[in-house]
Amino acid sequence: MTLEEFSTAEQKTERMDTVGDALEEVLSKARSQRTITVGVYEAAKLLNVDPDNVVLCLLAADEDDDRDVALQIHFTLIRAFCCENDINILRVSNPGRLAELLLLENDAGPAESGGAAQTPDLHCVLVTNPHSSQWKDPALSQLICFCRESRYMDQWVPVINLPER
């Protein structure tokens, strides 16, 4: 690897870390403002009813999920809907970290069945924008720019890795 290739790879890694940090910030704010929808089915219902207020769609899957045919069909349909409706979409390659971010301080109590806590379906996460003031959020703006730049390079669903803490 030449010095120039190394420098370019290093810049790309730094940029991905910055995008990951921006995503963490957006998720933290959205969670506190209760503008997050989690779950494939819940996301599909929201996209059907109110797609204009969805500003970001996250699809999260690990290697085991890549073999789940039903989940991949859902992902394909959600991706197509998001692309058709100009909804920014990202693929998160480490769903465990996404779960840590979204389930931290989770106020959901134990499940009704047997008292055991159920882990929610985090394969699809939507961030909605009920108030126009959120568009002024620099972290959200950075994610939107990243998605737009990725589309210009024909990467319609860019893959990011959330930084480990």
Side-chain angles (χ1 to χ4, degrees):
M1 179 182 280
T2 68
L3 184 59
E4 185 176 307
E5 290 172 334
F6 179 76
S7 177
T8 303
E10 189 174 288
Q11 288 173 346
K12 187 175 182 179
T13 301
E14 287 176 14
R15 171 146 185 183
M16 293 304 289
D17 288 344
T18 303
V19 171
D21 291 339
L23 179 56
E24 281 191 29
E25 186 176 330
V26 166
L27 291 174
S28 176
K29 287 179 183 177
R31 192 181 70 222
S32 68
Q33 295 171 352
R34 298 189 181 272
T35 58
I36 285 185
T37 300
V38 297
V40 172
Y41 296 109
E42 292 78 5
K45 286 190 282 187
L46 178 63
L47 287 169
N48 186 46
V49 174
D50 192 14
D52 294 335
N53 281 326
V54 177
V55 294
L56 182 64
C57 175
L58 303 176
L59 299 176
D62 57 19
E63 291 176 7
D64 292 335
D65 294 326
D66 288 341
R67 291 185 283 269
D68 184 341
V69 175
L71 181 62
Q72 294 309 312
I73 290 170
H74 285 109
F75 277 7
T76 300
L77 293 171
I78 290 169
R79 275 193 307 263
F81 187 90
C82 289
C83 289
E84 188 172 307
N85 288 279
D86 296 322
I87 297 171
N88 296 296
I89 184 168
L90 292 170
R91 176 111 183 213
V92 177
S93 62
N94 52 344
R97 179 67 181 132
L98 180 63
E100 288 174 15
L101 290 169
L102 294 178
L103 299 178
L104 189 66
E105 301 172 18
N106 187 5
D107 55 353
E112 297 297 322
S113 59
Q118 287 183 336
T119 304
D121 169 19
L122 298 176
H123 290 109
C124 184
V125 177
L126 299 180
V127 177
T128 55
N129 183 27
H131 308 293
S132 60
S133 64
Q134 275 188 313
W135 280 107
K136 297 174 185 162
D137 178 20
L140 182 59
S141 295
Q142 182 178 5
L143 287 177
I144 291 169
C145 286
F146 175 75
C147 289
R148 186 178 305 128
E149 289 170 5
S150 296
R151 284 191 299 269
Y152 289 146
M153 295 184 296
D154 284 334
Q155 187 179 8
W156 290 91
V157 184
V159 178
I160 66 164
N161 194 27
L162 288 166
E164 295 292 332
R165 300 280 182 229

